[in-house]
Amino acid sequence: MPIKDGLNPTRVRVPAGPITAWAFLEEVITAQRHRSPLDDAAALQARFDNNEVVLRDQTVLRSDTLLSTDTDVFFYRMPAPETPVPYDIPIIYEDEHLLVVDKPPFMATMPRAKHIVQTATVQMRRKTGIDELTPAHRLDRLTSGILVFTKTKDVRGAYQTLFAERRVQKTYEAIAPLSDVAAGTVWESRIEKTPGEIQGRIVDGPVNAITILADVTAVDNTGYENIHGKQPPLARYTLKPKTGKTHQLRLHMWQAGVPILGDPVYPVIYPADAEDMRVPMHLTATHIAFTDPLSGKPREFSSNLPLVAHNFLHP
């Protein structure tokens, strides 16, 4: 099925049949952890009425169609209500293949769990009308900065492979307490993160995470204290990761004794209901460079987002 209103159809597999298509999807919808209160029996019936429940070969299913074990069924989920992310997503660059944006904080890259509509992918598909828009890489939900999208399926693999094979030079900037950690320091460690757990951890074992601290510069505290309250002397840390483990920069900064300003996970996990979108984490992907896999020419993009604050759509 095509993308609808910025959202891909969902594929679910029948664990045990025979079962009617209606009964199976009712079980799937009921079991959703984040379920729309509007996704009731009438909404389920509407999917069948609109021919929006199909098999992989596009066979349209009726509500009473019997499904066998391991059958793949495709349908559109109904997203649960989400708190709007109160920031714009400025476009940095666009050509026939790429769309490059400044992703704001508090916005996930791709739909997942309770963050579906309030994601950069869905919002930019809706904003541009380009249904095939797909990220070539990912940024953590709380991290701001450069995010590269491909515009068509035929070029998607080339750019995603570029990022997957780490052939992209990335630069991040973080705000954290001023310290005696010297520019040129290389952090090497082994990072593991268990799915479902909020914090990652540094453990013994072969190195899988490398970050270079390229520069440390003291900054004026005023703008940051307007957001976060009184702070010790702060600095801008320029970070160049050589690997891309989940929470790598946040963990390396914490391990070095300089947790990133506004980080709600390291060192202390804040309750999810305490999140305030007016108070961002100050970690921004500021620069990327790579050799274009299609043209062979060098490409560079820089973020225009300020590290102190961001522009609210809804003051």
Side-chain angles (χ1 to χ4, degrees):
M1 292 195 294
I3 291 168
K4 179 181 178 182
D5 200 20
L7 295 169
N8 291 76
T10 294
R11 175 181 63 85
V12 287
R13 179 164 292 178
V14 178
I19 186 173
T20 66
W22 173 283
F24 173 58
L25 285 190
E26 184 180 41
E27 288 182 3
V28 170
I29 291 169
T30 301
Q32 289 179 136
R33 183 178 179 185
H34 306 287
R35 179 183 177 184
S36 170
L38 301 178
D39 204 353
D40 54 15
L44 177 54
Q45 184 59 50
R47 292 178 174 92
F48 288 104
D49 293 342
N50 295 329
N51 297 329
E52 292 182 340
V53 183
V54 304
L55 298 179
R56 184 179 293 277
D57 64 1
Q58 302 302 307
T59 298
V60 175
L61 300 179
R62 302 188 310 271
S63 60
D64 60 354
T65 301
L66 281 178
L67 304 174
S68 58
T69 302
D70 291 336
T71 299
D72 287 333
V73 177
F74 296 79
F75 76 109
Y76 295 109
R77 290 188 186 270
M78 183 180 293
E82 299 175 48
T83 302
V85 176
Y87 301 105
D88 197 1
I89 315 176
I91 295 174
I92 298 172
Y93 173 83
E94 183 175 6
D95 63 21
E96 61 179 321
H97 300 309
L98 300 179
L99 181 76
V100 185
V101 305
D102 259 333
K103 187 190 82 66
F106 303 104
M107 183 171 282
T109 299
M110 291 284 291
R112 184 182 178 188
K114 66 179 180 180
H115 305 293
I116 304 298
V117 172
Q118 294 299 311
T119 58
T121 297
V122 173
Q123 291 297 308
M124 291 310 298
R125 283 176 177 174
R126 292 180 176 183
K127 181 177 180 177
T128 64
I130 304 172
D131 282 344
E132 290 187 11
L133 206 64
T134 303
H137 61 116
R138 297 193 183 197
L139 284 181
D140 182 75
R141 176 175 171 265
L142 298 181
T143 302
S144 312
I146 300 171
L147 182 61
V148 178
F149 288 94
T150 59
K151 296 174 69 174
T152 56
K153 291 180 181 178
D154 58 314
V155 303
R156 183 183 305 165
Y159 288 99
Q160 288 182 338
T161 299
L162 185 77
F163 280 88
E165 294 181 349
R166 301 173 186 168
R167 290 185 280 127
V168 178
Q169 293 75 54
K170 301 177 183 179
T171 302
Y172 290 74
E173 291 185 355
I175 301 299
L178 182 63
S179 74
D180 58 1
V181 181
T185 297
V186 179
W187 294 317
E188 296 181 312
S189 57
R190 180 168 188 80
I191 291 176
E192 294 183 356
K193 188 174 185 299
T194 302
E197 293 184 0
I198 296 176
Q199 283 188 339
R201 57 194 181 277
I202 293 175
V203 300
D204 293 333
V207 169
N208 65 359
I210 303 172
T211 302
I212 297 172
L213 175 59
D215 187 58
V216 182
T217 305
V219 298
D220 182 349
N221 273 29
T222 304
Y224 301 102
E225 291 185 346
N226 288 340
I227 299 171
H228 299 274
K230 186 65 176 177
Q231 298 293 319
L234 297 171
R236 176 179 294 108
Y237 293 77
T238 302
L239 308 169
K240 293 183 178 293
K242 295 301 181 183
T243 55
K245 300 299 291 184
T246 300
H247 293 185
Q248 175 178 320
L249 301 182
R250 297 163 69 178
L251 272 163
H252 278 165
M253 291 286 285
W254 177 30
Q255 184 187 39
V258 282
I260 297 170
L261 183 63
D263 192 331
V265 173
Y266 304 98
V268 178
I269 300 175
Y270 292 174
D273 58 6
E275 183 172 87
D276 184 345
M277 293 190 192
R278 297 170 298 179
V279 184
M281 179 179 73
H282 295 278
L283 176 63
T284 302
T286 56
H287 185 83
I288 64 170
F290 55 86
T291 299
D292 192 286
L294 302 183
S295 69
K297 296 180 179 180
R299 308 292 293 270
E300 293 190 35
F301 302 106
S302 296
S303 171
N304 296 318
L305 289 177
L307 290 183
V308 175
H310 303 264
N311 295 323
F312 277 87
L313 282 177
H314 312 293

